[in-house]
Amino acid sequence: MKELSSFLQNRSVRRVGVFILIAFVLYLLRSQMNIILLTFIFSYLITRLENFILRRISIYRQIIVLILYALIAAVIVFVFVKYIPVLADQINQLVKFGNTFLKTDSNNDFINYIVSLANQFDIMKYTEQGVSMILTYLTNVGTVLMNVFIALMLSLFFSLGKEHLVSFTNQFSTSKIGFIYEEVKFFGSKFVATFGKVIEAQFIIALVNAVLTTIALWILGFPQLMTLSIMVFLLGLIPVAGVIISLIPLTIIGYSVGGVEYIFYILIVVIIIHALESYVLNPKLMSAKTNLPVFYTFIILIFGEHFFGIWGLIVGIPVVMFFLDVLGVTNQEEIEQPKDTISHT
């Protein structure tokens, strides 16, 4: 009994037990996972934006919070009501055009070669599966809007009553379940430090990619710029693969607008934006300890989509980064760098 008692009091054992408990609770709440994730993302991003504004403007925090939430709610409603139905229709037409494009012979040998490769790998089959999944989400606007509304309200209540919420929650540290609270607090701080920051970085990268791509498409004279920019932004939330996936619809539209010449223009634009993301934005924004190799990134995206659908594509990388941080997996180059610096000095 003494050995069992000392085993259960071990910090590592307790931590693993609490983690399993948290995972079990989240499993029971899996039907509400959309609201849980949206609430966390809204709360984290708006808190970061709120702090950014307060460092530059001296004003009551509650006023900033209310203004931000009012603006975000207005933008979301405007986009969902005006552009999401148009985007769903455009994607549907794009799939039909892609099927026609792959079944029609062209006078250009290069295009015929690309089409033969696409038919050989049956690209449209996989594209249609992905697009049909996206269309299911886009056309079910009522449910999505309700989830967004509930998440926004919960996030608003959290932001307005943050101080009281924190002080009340801290009372659990002196309660009979204080040891559980301490472990939950540990995992919570790790989750915010990794998952939250990676989500923030993905959001900023997707926004920059969408703005730059929209400017390039405007110069090339593409139609329906707003719907295309929304599509690029949503796909940009998928790390690494989002830019590559957006290449498929953009090249098809580019061919319909300006022929083979526009396909090369789109390829150049995507290559430049992808290079900007890989070599400028990611190193500056990704503050997590481990930079995942591209191979691991795609493996995570594939399995994340298989088990969790659209959310798996968006939050798969942040969740893995959270686990790596909890397990203490670090980049050896970052560990050795201070030693090199000291030796040179």
Side-chain angles (χ1 to χ4, degrees), residues 76-139:
I76 290 175
V77 171
F78 177 75
V79 169
F80 266 90
V81 172
K82 186 173 178 62
Y83 288 108
I84 291 299
V86 177
L87 180 60
D89 182 60
Q90 290 289 324
I91 292 175
N92 196 23
Q93 291 181 17
L94 189 62
V95 172
K96 292 179 181 178
F97 180 81
N99 280 320
T100 305
F101 174 74
L102 293 178
K103 293 176 183 177
T104 305
D105 291 329
S106 172
N107 296 326
N108 189 291
D109 293 335
F110 176 74
I111 293 297
N112 287 331
Y113 175 71
I114 296 297
V115 168
S116 65
L117 282 179
N119 287 324
Q120 181 179 350
F121 289 102
D122 204 5
I123 285 178
M124 284 310 297
K125 174 185 175 183
Y126 299 105
T127 305
E128 284 179 353
Q129 290 176 354
V131 167
S132 63
M133 183 170 58
I134 294 173
L135 284 173
T136 302
Y137 279 87
L138 292 179
T139 51

Short mmCIF file of all heavy atoms in Angstrom, two decimals, residues 76-139:
data_model
loop_
_atom_site.label_atom_id
_atom_site.label_comp_id
_atom_site.label_asym_id
_atom_site.label_seq_id
_atom_site.Cartn_x
_atom_site.Cartn_y
_atom_site.Cartn_z
N ILE A 76 -18.34 39.06 -40.03
CA ILE A 76 -18.72 37.65 -40.21
C ILE A 76 -20.11 37.54 -40.84
O ILE A 76 -20.32 36.76 -41.79
CB ILE A 76 -18.65 36.91 -38.87
CG1 ILE A 76 -17.19 36.75 -38.42
CG2 ILE A 76 -19.32 35.54 -38.97
CD1 ILE A 76 -17.03 36.14 -37.06
N VAL A 77 -21.07 38.29 -40.32
CA VAL A 77 -22.43 38.25 -40.86
C VAL A 77 -22.44 38.71 -42.32
O VAL A 77 -23.08 38.09 -43.18
CB VAL A 77 -23.38 39.12 -40.02
CG1 VAL A 77 -24.73 39.26 -40.70
CG2 VAL A 77 -23.56 38.51 -38.63
N PHE A 78 -21.71 39.79 -42.62
CA PHE A 78 -21.66 40.31 -43.98
C PHE A 78 -21.08 39.28 -44.95
O PHE A 78 -21.64 39.04 -46.03
CB PHE A 78 -20.81 41.59 -44.01
CG PHE A 78 -20.63 42.18 -45.38
CD1 PHE A 78 -21.67 42.86 -46.01
CD2 PHE A 78 -19.42 42.04 -46.06
CE1 PHE A 78 -21.51 43.39 -47.28
CE2 PHE A 78 -19.26 42.56 -47.32
CZ PHE A 78 -20.30 43.25 -47.93
N VAL A 79 -19.97 38.64 -44.54
CA VAL A 79 -19.33 37.64 -45.41
C VAL A 79 -20.22 36.42 -45.60
O VAL A 79 -20.39 35.93 -46.73
CB VAL A 79 -17.96 37.22 -44.81
CG1 VAL A 79 -17.41 36.00 -45.53
CG2 VAL A 79 -16.97 38.37 -44.90
N PHE A 80 -20.83 35.94 -44.51
CA PHE A 80 -21.67 34.75 -44.61
C PHE A 80 -22.91 35.00 -45.46
O PHE A 80 -23.31 34.15 -46.26
CB PHE A 80 -22.08 34.28 -43.21
CG PHE A 80 -21.17 33.23 -42.64
CD1 PHE A 80 -20.06 33.59 -41.89
CD2 PHE A 80 -21.40 31.90 -42.86
CE1 PHE A 80 -19.21 32.64 -41.37
CE2 PHE A 80 -20.56 30.93 -42.35
CZ PHE A 80 -19.45 31.31 -41.59
N VAL A 81 -23.53 36.15 -45.28
CA VAL A 81 -24.77 36.44 -46.00
C VAL A 81 -24.51 36.76 -47.47
O VAL A 81 -25.21 36.28 -48.37
CB VAL A 81 -25.53 37.60 -45.32
CG1 VAL A 81 -26.72 38.03 -46.17
CG2 VAL A 81 -26.00 37.17 -43.93
N LYS A 82 -23.47 37.57 -47.74
CA LYS A 82 -23.25 38.07 -49.10
C LYS A 82 -22.36 37.19 -49.95
O LYS A 82 -22.63 36.97 -51.14
CB LYS A 82 -22.67 39.49 -49.03
CG LYS A 82 -22.53 40.16 -50.40
CD LYS A 82 -22.13 41.60 -50.28
CE LYS A 82 -21.94 42.27 -51.64
NZ LYS A 82 -23.19 42.29 -52.42
N TYR A 83 -21.27 36.64 -49.36
CA TYR A 83 -20.24 36.00 -50.19
C TYR A 83 -20.16 34.49 -50.07
O TYR A 83 -19.72 33.83 -51.02
CB TYR A 83 -18.87 36.61 -49.86
CG TYR A 83 -18.72 38.02 -50.38
CD1 TYR A 83 -18.71 39.10 -49.50
CD2 TYR A 83 -18.61 38.28 -51.74
CE1 TYR A 83 -18.59 40.40 -49.97
CE2 TYR A 83 -18.48 39.57 -52.21
CZ TYR A 83 -18.47 40.63 -51.32
OH TYR A 83 -18.36 41.90 -51.79
N ILE A 84 -20.55 33.91 -48.93
CA ILE A 84 -20.44 32.46 -48.80
C ILE A 84 -21.33 31.72 -49.81
O ILE A 84 -20.88 30.76 -50.45
CB ILE A 84 -20.76 32.00 -47.36
CG1 ILE A 84 -19.66 32.47 -46.40
CG2 ILE A 84 -20.91 30.49 -47.28
CD1 ILE A 84 -18.28 31.92 -46.71
N PRO A 85 -22.61 32.13 -50.02
CA PRO A 85 -23.40 31.47 -51.07
C PRO A 85 -22.77 31.62 -52.45
O PRO A 85 -22.79 30.67 -53.26
CB PRO A 85 -24.76 32.19 -50.99
CG PRO A 85 -24.82 32.74 -49.61
CD PRO A 85 -23.42 33.12 -49.27
N VAL A 86 -22.20 32.79 -52.74
CA VAL A 86 -21.53 33.00 -54.03
C VAL A 86 -20.31 32.11 -54.14
O VAL A 86 -20.04 31.52 -55.20
CB VAL A 86 -21.13 34.49 -54.19
CG1 VAL A 86 -20.38 34.70 -55.50
CG2 VAL A 86 -22.34 35.39 -54.12
N LEU A 87 -19.55 31.99 -53.04
CA LEU A 87 -18.36 31.14 -53.04
C LEU A 87 -18.73 29.68 -53.28
O LEU A 87 -18.06 28.98 -54.05
CB LEU A 87 -17.62 31.29 -51.70
CG LEU A 87 -16.35 30.45 -51.52
CD1 LEU A 87 -15.32 30.82 -52.58
CD2 LEU A 87 -15.78 30.64 -50.13
N ALA A 88 -19.79 29.21 -52.64
CA ALA A 88 -20.24 27.83 -52.86
C ALA A 88 -20.62 27.59 -54.30
O ALA A 88 -20.29 26.57 -54.90
CB ALA A 88 -21.41 27.53 -51.93
N ASP A 89 -21.33 28.57 -54.90
CA ASP A 89 -21.73 28.45 -56.31
C ASP A 89 -20.51 28.47 -57.22
O ASP A 89 -20.43 27.70 -58.19
CB ASP A 89 -22.69 29.60 -56.66
CG ASP A 89 -23.19 29.50 -58.09
OD1 ASP A 89 -23.84 28.48 -58.42
OD2 ASP A 89 -22.93 30.43 -58.89
N GLN A 90 -19.53 29.35 -56.91
CA GLN A 90 -18.33 29.44 -57.73
C GLN A 90 -17.53 28.14 -57.68
O GLN A 90 -17.00 27.69 -58.69
CB GLN A 90 -17.45 30.61 -57.24
CG GLN A 90 -18.04 31.98 -57.52
CD GLN A 90 -17.99 32.33 -58.99
OE1 GLN A 90 -17.05 31.99 -59.69
NE2 GLN A 90 -19.01 33.00 -59.47
N ILE A 91 -17.43 27.54 -56.49
CA ILE A 91 -16.69 26.28 -56.35
C ILE A 91 -17.37 25.17 -57.14
O ILE A 91 -16.73 24.36 -57.81
CB ILE A 91 -16.57 25.88 -54.87
CG1 ILE A 91 -15.65 26.87 -54.13
CG2 ILE A 91 -16.04 24.47 -54.71
CD1 ILE A 91 -15.56 26.64 -52.64
N ASN A 92 -18.71 25.15 -57.09
CA ASN A 92 -19.47 24.16 -57.84
C ASN A 92 -19.23 24.30 -59.34
O ASN A 92 -19.01 23.31 -60.06
CB ASN A 92 -20.96 24.31 -57.52
CG ASN A 92 -21.76 23.10 -57.95
OD1 ASN A 92 -21.22 22.01 -58.09
ND2 ASN A 92 -23.04 23.29 -58.18
N GLN A 93 -19.26 25.55 -59.83
CA GLN A 93 -19.01 25.80 -61.26
C GLN A 93 -17.57 25.46 -61.63
O GLN A 93 -17.29 24.98 -62.72
CB GLN A 93 -19.29 27.27 -61.58
CG GLN A 93 -20.77 27.65 -61.50
CD GLN A 93 -20.99 29.11 -61.86
OE1 GLN A 93 -20.13 29.75 -62.45
NE2 GLN A 93 -22.14 29.63 -61.47
N LEU A 94 -16.65 25.70 -60.68
CA LEU A 94 -15.24 25.42 -60.93
C LEU A 94 -15.00 23.93 -61.12
O LEU A 94 -14.21 23.52 -61.99
CB LEU A 94 -14.41 25.94 -59.75
CG LEU A 94 -12.90 25.94 -59.92
CD1 LEU A 94 -12.47 26.83 -61.06
CD2 LEU A 94 -12.23 26.38 -58.62
N VAL A 95 -15.67 23.11 -60.31
CA VAL A 95 -15.54 21.66 -60.44
C VAL A 95 -16.07 21.19 -61.80
O VAL A 95 -15.45 20.37 -62.48
CB VAL A 95 -16.28 20.94 -59.30
CG1 VAL A 95 -16.31 19.44 -59.53
CG2 VAL A 95 -15.63 21.25 -57.96
N LYS A 96 -17.21 21.74 -62.21
CA LYS A 96 -17.77 21.39 -63.53
C LYS A 96 -16.83 21.79 -64.65
O LYS A 96 -16.61 21.05 -65.61
CB LYS A 96 -19.14 22.07 -63.70
CG LYS A 96 -20.22 21.53 -62.77
CD LYS A 96 -21.54 22.27 -62.99
CE LYS A 96 -22.61 21.74 -62.03
NZ LYS A 96 -23.89 22.47 -62.17
N PHE A 97 -16.26 23.00 -64.53
CA PHE A 97 -15.32 23.48 -65.55
C PHE A 97 -14.07 22.60 -65.58
O PHE A 97 -13.53 22.30 -66.65
CB PHE A 97 -14.92 24.93 -65.27
CG PHE A 97 -13.95 25.50 -66.26
CD1 PHE A 97 -14.37 25.97 -67.49
CD2 PHE A 97 -12.59 25.54 -65.96
CE1 PHE A 97 -13.47 26.48 -68.41
CE2 PHE A 97 -11.68 26.04 -66.87
CZ PHE A 97 -12.12 26.52 -68.10
N GLY A 98 -13.60 22.17 -64.38
CA GLY A 98 -12.43 21.31 -64.32
C GLY A 98 -12.67 19.97 -64.99
O GLY A 98 -11.80 19.47 -65.71
N ASN A 99 -13.84 19.40 -64.80
CA ASN A 99 -14.19 18.14 -65.47
C ASN A 99 -14.21 18.31 -66.97
O ASN A 99 -13.71 17.47 -67.72
CB ASN A 99 -15.55 17.64 -64.97
CG ASN A 99 -15.45 16.93 -63.63
OD1 ASN A 99 -14.50 16.19 -63.40
ND2 ASN A 99 -16.39 17.17 -62.74
N THR A 100 -14.81 19.41 -67.44
CA THR A 100 -14.86 19.70 -68.88
C THR A 100 -13.45 19.91 -69.43
O THR A 100 -13.10 19.44 -70.51
CB THR A 100 -15.72 20.95 -69.15
OG1 THR A 100 -17.01 20.76 -68.56
CG2 THR A 100 -15.86 21.19 -70.64
N PHE A 101 -12.63 20.64 -68.66
CA PHE A 101 -11.26 20.95 -69.06
C PHE A 101 -10.45 19.67 -69.25
O PHE A 101 -9.66 19.54 -70.20
CB PHE A 101 -10.62 21.86 -68.00
CG PHE A 101 -9.16 22.12 -68.22
CD1 PHE A 101 -8.73 22.98 -69.22
CD2 PHE A 101 -8.20 21.51 -67.42
CE1 PHE A 101 -7.39 23.23 -69.42
CE2 PHE A 101 -6.86 21.76 -67.61
CZ PHE A 101 -6.44 22.62 -68.61
N LEU A 102 -10.62 18.69 -68.35
CA LEU A 102 -9.84 17.46 -68.41
C LEU A 102 -10.34 16.51 -69.49
O LEU A 102 -9.63 15.57 -69.87
CB LEU A 102 -9.87 16.75 -67.05
CG LEU A 102 -9.15 17.47 -65.90
CD1 LEU A 102 -9.30 16.70 -64.60
CD2 LEU A 102 -7.67 17.65 -66.22
N LYS A 103 -11.55 16.73 -70.01
CA LYS A 103 -12.11 15.85 -71.03
C LYS A 103 -12.02 16.45 -72.43
O LYS A 103 -12.42 15.80 -73.40
CB LYS A 103 -13.59 15.55 -70.70
CG LYS A 103 -13.76 14.72 -69.43
CD LYS A 103 -15.23 14.55 -69.09
CE LYS A 103 -15.40 13.78 -67.78
NZ LYS A 103 -16.83 13.66 -67.38
N THR A 104 -11.49 17.68 -72.54
CA THR A 104 -11.43 18.37 -73.83
C THR A 104 -10.00 18.43 -74.33
O THR A 104 -9.09 18.79 -73.57
CB THR A 104 -11.99 19.81 -73.71
OG1 THR A 104 -13.32 19.73 -73.17
CG2 THR A 104 -12.03 20.49 -75.07
N ASP A 105 -9.78 18.07 -75.59
CA ASP A 105 -8.45 18.16 -76.19
C ASP A 105 -8.11 19.61 -76.50
O ASP A 105 -8.96 20.39 -76.92
CB ASP A 105 -8.39 17.33 -77.48
CG ASP A 105 -8.46 15.84 -77.18
OD1 ASP A 105 -7.99 15.44 -76.09
OD2 ASP A 105 -8.98 15.09 -78.03
N SER A 106 -6.83 19.97 -76.27
CA SER A 106 -6.37 21.33 -76.54
C SER A 106 -5.40 21.32 -77.71
O SER A 106 -4.81 20.29 -78.07
CB SER A 106 -5.68 21.90 -75.29
OG SER A 106 -5.07 23.13 -75.57
N ASN A 107 -5.21 22.48 -78.33
CA ASN A 107 -4.25 22.63 -79.41
C ASN A 107 -2.81 22.72 -78.89
O ASN A 107 -1.86 22.64 -79.67
CB ASN A 107 -4.56 23.89 -80.24
CG ASN A 107 -5.92 23.79 -80.93
OD1 ASN A 107 -6.32 22.70 -81.34
ND2 ASN A 107 -6.61 24.91 -81.06
N ASN A 108 -2.67 22.91 -77.59
CA ASN A 108 -1.35 23.06 -76.99
C ASN A 108 -0.87 21.71 -76.46
O ASN A 108 -1.55 21.06 -75.67
CB ASN A 108 -1.43 24.09 -75.84
CG ASN A 108 -0.06 24.45 -75.31
OD1 ASN A 108 0.60 23.64 -74.69
ND2 ASN A 108 0.36 25.70 -75.56
N ASP A 109 0.32 21.28 -76.90
CA ASP A 109 0.85 19.97 -76.50
C ASP A 109 1.14 19.91 -75.00
O ASP A 109 0.95 18.87 -74.35
CB ASP A 109 2.14 19.65 -77.28
CG ASP A 109 1.86 19.45 -78.77
OD1 ASP A 109 0.72 19.08 -79.10
OD2 ASP A 109 2.79 19.67 -79.57
N PHE A 110 1.61 21.04 -74.43
CA PHE A 110 1.93 21.08 -73.01
C PHE A 110 0.66 20.88 -72.17
O PHE A 110 0.67 20.11 -71.20
CB PHE A 110 2.59 22.42 -72.66
CG PHE A 110 2.86 22.58 -71.19
CD1 PHE A 110 3.90 21.90 -70.57
CD2 PHE A 110 2.06 23.42 -70.41
CE1 PHE A 110 4.15 22.05 -69.22
CE2 PHE A 110 2.31 23.58 -69.06
CZ PHE A 110 3.36 22.88 -68.47
N ILE A 111 -0.41 21.56 -72.56
CA ILE A 111 -1.69 21.41 -71.84
C ILE A 111 -2.20 19.98 -71.95
O ILE A 111 -2.68 19.39 -70.97
CB ILE A 111 -2.73 22.41 -72.39
CG1 ILE A 111 -2.32 23.85 -72.06
CG2 ILE A 111 -4.11 22.13 -71.80
CD1 ILE A 111 -2.25 24.15 -70.59
N ASN A 112 -2.08 19.39 -73.14
CA ASN A 112 -2.52 18.00 -73.32
C ASN A 112 -1.71 17.05 -72.43
O ASN A 112 -2.25 16.08 -71.89
CB ASN A 112 -2.38 17.59 -74.79
CG ASN A 112 -3.44 18.24 -75.66
OD1 ASN A 112 -4.54 18.54 -75.20
ND2 ASN A 112 -3.12 18.47 -76.92
N TYR A 113 -0.41 17.35 -72.27
CA TYR A 113 0.43 16.51 -71.42
C TYR A 113 0.01 16.63 -69.96
O TYR A 113 -0.09 15.61 -69.25
CB TYR A 113 1.89 16.94 -71.59
CG TYR A 113 2.84 16.20 -70.67
CD1 TYR A 113 3.14 14.86 -70.87
CD2 TYR A 113 3.42 16.88 -69.59
CE1 TYR A 113 4.00 14.18 -70.02
CE2 TYR A 113 4.29 16.21 -68.73
CZ TYR A 113 4.58 14.87 -68.95
OH TYR A 113 5.42 14.21 -68.09
N ILE A 114 -0.25 17.85 -69.51
CA ILE A 114 -0.69 18.07 -68.13
C ILE A 114 -2.03 17.38 -67.88
O ILE A 114 -2.25 16.76 -66.84
CB ILE A 114 -0.80 19.58 -67.82
CG1 ILE A 114 0.57 20.25 -67.90
CG2 ILE A 114 -1.42 19.82 -66.45
CD1 ILE A 114 1.57 19.74 -66.90
N VAL A 115 -2.95 17.51 -68.85
CA VAL A 115 -4.27 16.88 -68.72
C VAL A 115 -4.14 15.37 -68.63
O VAL A 115 -4.82 14.71 -67.84
CB VAL A 115 -5.18 17.30 -69.90
CG1 VAL A 115 -6.44 16.43 -69.94
CG2 VAL A 115 -5.55 18.76 -69.79
N SER A 116 -3.23 14.78 -69.46
CA SER A 116 -3.04 13.33 -69.42
C SER A 116 -2.50 12.88 -68.07
O SER A 116 -2.91 11.84 -67.53
CB SER A 116 -2.10 12.89 -70.55
OG SER A 116 -0.79 13.42 -70.34
N LEU A 117 -1.57 13.66 -67.50
CA LEU A 117 -1.06 13.34 -66.17
C LEU A 117 -2.16 13.42 -65.12
O LEU A 117 -2.27 12.56 -64.24
CB LEU A 117 0.07 14.30 -65.80
CG LEU A 117 1.45 14.06 -66.41
CD1 LEU A 117 2.42 15.14 -65.95
CD2 LEU A 117 1.97 12.68 -66.04
N ALA A 118 -2.99 14.48 -65.21
CA ALA A 118 -4.08 14.66 -64.25
C ALA A 118 -5.07 13.50 -64.33
O ALA A 118 -5.56 13.00 -63.32
CB ALA A 118 -4.79 15.99 -64.50
N ASN A 119 -5.37 13.06 -65.57
CA ASN A 119 -6.30 11.94 -65.75
C ASN A 119 -5.68 10.64 -65.25
O ASN A 119 -6.38 9.77 -64.72
CB ASN A 119 -6.68 11.81 -67.22
CG ASN A 119 -7.63 12.91 -67.67
OD1 ASN A 119 -8.49 13.34 -66.90
ND2 ASN A 119 -7.48 13.39 -68.89
N GLN A 120 -4.37 10.51 -65.44
CA GLN A 120 -3.69 9.30 -65.01
C GLN A 120 -3.75 9.12 -63.50
O GLN A 120 -3.98 8.04 -62.99
CB GLN A 120 -2.23 9.33 -65.48
CG GLN A 120 -1.44 8.08 -65.11
CD GLN A 120 -0.01 8.14 -65.61
OE1 GLN A 120 0.36 9.02 -66.39
NE2 GLN A 120 0.82 7.22 -65.15
N PHE A 121 -3.56 10.24 -62.77
CA PHE A 121 -3.61 10.20 -61.30
C PHE A 121 -5.01 10.44 -60.76
O PHE A 121 -5.21 10.45 -59.55
CB PHE A 121 -2.65 11.24 -60.72
CG PHE A 121 -1.20 10.89 -60.90
CD1 PHE A 121 -0.46 11.51 -61.90
CD2 PHE A 121 -0.60 9.94 -60.11
CE1 PHE A 121 0.89 11.19 -62.07
CE2 PHE A 121 0.74 9.61 -60.28
CZ PHE A 121 1.49 10.23 -61.27
N ASP A 122 -5.98 10.66 -61.67
CA ASP A 122 -7.38 10.87 -61.28
C ASP A 122 -7.50 12.00 -60.26
O ASP A 122 -8.13 11.86 -59.20
CB ASP A 122 -7.97 9.58 -60.72
CG ASP A 122 -9.50 9.56 -60.84
OD1 ASP A 122 -10.05 10.51 -61.45
OD2 ASP A 122 -10.11 8.62 -60.34
N ILE A 123 -6.88 13.16 -60.59
CA ILE A 123 -6.85 14.29 -59.67
C ILE A 123 -8.25 14.80 -59.36
O ILE A 123 -8.56 15.15 -58.22
CB ILE A 123 -5.98 15.43 -60.25
CG1 ILE A 123 -4.51 15.05 -60.12
CG2 ILE A 123 -6.22 16.76 -59.55
CD1 ILE A 123 -3.55 16.05 -60.70
N MET A 124 -9.12 14.86 -60.38
CA MET A 124 -10.45 15.42 -60.16
C MET A 124 -11.27 14.59 -59.17
O MET A 124 -12.14 15.13 -58.48
CB MET A 124 -11.21 15.54 -61.49
CG MET A 124 -10.74 16.70 -62.36
SD MET A 124 -10.66 18.29 -61.50
CE MET A 124 -12.38 18.54 -61.06
N LYS A 125 -10.99 13.29 -59.09
CA LYS A 125 -11.71 12.45 -58.12
C LYS A 125 -11.43 12.95 -56.70
O LYS A 125 -12.36 13.14 -55.90
CB LYS A 125 -11.27 11.00 -58.26
CG LYS A 125 -11.86 10.07 -57.21
CD LYS A 125 -11.28 8.67 -57.33
CE LYS A 125 -11.78 7.79 -56.20
NZ LYS A 125 -11.18 6.43 -56.25
N TYR A 126 -10.14 13.18 -56.40
CA TYR A 126 -9.78 13.66 -55.07
C TYR A 126 -10.22 15.10 -54.87
O TYR A 126 -10.64 15.48 -53.77
CB TYR A 126 -8.26 13.55 -54.87
CG TYR A 126 -7.77 12.13 -54.96
CD1 TYR A 126 -7.09 11.68 -56.09
CD2 TYR A 126 -7.99 11.22 -53.93
CE1 TYR A 126 -6.63 10.37 -56.19
CE2 TYR A 126 -7.54 9.91 -54.01
CZ TYR A 126 -6.86 9.49 -55.14
OH TYR A 126 -6.42 8.20 -55.23
N THR A 127 -10.12 15.91 -55.93
CA THR A 127 -10.56 17.30 -55.82
C THR A 127 -12.05 17.38 -55.54
O THR A 127 -12.50 18.17 -54.71
CB THR A 127 -10.23 18.06 -57.12
OG1 THR A 127 -8.84 17.93 -57.40
CG2 THR A 127 -10.58 19.54 -56.99
N GLU A 128 -12.85 16.55 -56.23
CA GLU A 128 -14.31 16.55 -56.02
C GLU A 128 -14.65 16.12 -54.60
O GLU A 128 -15.57 16.67 -53.99
CB GLU A 128 -14.98 15.63 -57.03
CG GLU A 128 -15.06 16.21 -58.44
CD GLU A 128 -15.71 15.26 -59.41
OE1 GLU A 128 -15.98 14.10 -59.03
OE2 GLU A 128 -15.97 15.66 -60.55
N GLN A 129 -13.91 15.15 -54.07
CA GLN A 129 -14.18 14.72 -52.69
C GLN A 129 -13.93 15.85 -51.71
O GLN A 129 -14.74 16.11 -50.81
CB GLN A 129 -13.28 13.51 -52.34
CG GLN A 129 -13.67 12.24 -53.07
CD GLN A 129 -12.71 11.11 -52.78
OE1 GLN A 129 -11.68 11.29 -52.12
NE2 GLN A 129 -13.01 9.93 -53.29
N GLY A 130 -12.79 16.54 -51.89
CA GLY A 130 -12.48 17.66 -51.01
C GLY A 130 -13.45 18.80 -51.16
O GLY A 130 -13.91 19.40 -50.18
N VAL A 131 -13.81 19.11 -52.42
CA VAL A 131 -14.72 20.22 -52.68
C VAL A 131 -16.11 19.92 -52.15
O VAL A 131 -16.78 20.79 -51.59
CB VAL A 131 -14.77 20.52 -54.19
CG1 VAL A 131 -15.94 21.45 -54.52
CG2 VAL A 131 -13.47 21.15 -54.65
N SER A 132 -16.58 18.67 -52.31
CA SER A 132 -17.90 18.31 -51.80
C SER A 132 -17.95 18.45 -50.28
O SER A 132 -18.97 18.88 -49.72
CB SER A 132 -18.25 16.87 -52.19
OG SER A 132 -17.34 15.96 -51.59
N MET A 133 -16.83 18.15 -49.61
CA MET A 133 -16.76 18.31 -48.16
C MET A 133 -16.84 19.80 -47.79
O MET A 133 -17.55 20.19 -46.87
CB MET A 133 -15.47 17.70 -47.64
CG MET A 133 -15.31 17.74 -46.13
SD MET A 133 -13.90 16.75 -45.58
CE MET A 133 -12.57 17.54 -46.48
N ILE A 134 -16.11 20.64 -48.54
CA ILE A 134 -16.14 22.08 -48.29
C ILE A 134 -17.53 22.63 -48.56
O ILE A 134 -18.06 23.45 -47.81
CB ILE A 134 -15.10 22.80 -49.17
CG1 ILE A 134 -13.68 22.39 -48.75
CG2 ILE A 134 -15.24 24.32 -49.07
CD1 ILE A 134 -12.60 22.91 -49.65
N LEU A 135 -18.17 22.18 -49.67
CA LEU A 135 -19.51 22.65 -50.01
C LEU A 135 -20.52 22.29 -48.92
O LEU A 135 -21.45 23.05 -48.64
CB LEU A 135 -19.95 22.07 -51.36
CG LEU A 135 -19.32 22.69 -52.61
CD1 LEU A 135 -19.71 21.90 -53.85
CD2 LEU A 135 -19.74 24.14 -52.76
N THR A 136 -20.34 21.11 -48.31
CA THR A 136 -21.24 20.71 -47.23
C THR A 136 -21.18 21.70 -46.09
O THR A 136 -22.20 22.09 -45.51
CB THR A 136 -20.86 19.30 -46.72
OG1 THR A 136 -20.93 18.38 -47.81
CG2 THR A 136 -21.80 18.86 -45.63
N TYR A 137 -19.96 22.15 -45.76
CA TYR A 137 -19.79 23.13 -44.69
C TYR A 137 -20.34 24.49 -45.10
O TYR A 137 -20.99 25.19 -44.31
CB TYR A 137 -18.31 23.27 -44.32
CG TYR A 137 -17.82 22.19 -43.38
CD1 TYR A 137 -17.35 20.98 -43.87
CD2 TYR A 137 -17.81 22.38 -42.01
CE1 TYR A 137 -16.90 19.98 -43.02
CE2 TYR A 137 -17.36 21.38 -41.15
CZ TYR A 137 -16.91 20.19 -41.66
OH TYR A 137 -16.47 19.20 -40.82
N LEU A 138 -20.07 24.89 -46.35
CA LEU A 138 -20.47 26.22 -46.79
C LEU A 138 -21.98 26.36 -46.94
O LEU A 138 -22.56 27.40 -46.65
CB LEU A 138 -19.78 26.57 -48.12
CG LEU A 138 -18.26 26.77 -48.07
CD1 LEU A 138 -17.72 27.07 -49.46
CD2 LEU A 138 -17.88 27.88 -47.11
N THR A 139 -22.62 25.30 -47.45
CA THR A 139 -24.07 25.38 -47.68
C THR A 139 -24.87 25.25 -46.39
O THR A 139 -26.01 25.69 -46.33
CB THR A 139 -24.50 24.27 -48.66
OG1 THR A 139 -24.01 23.01 -48.21
CG2 THR A 139 -23.96 24.54 -50.06
#
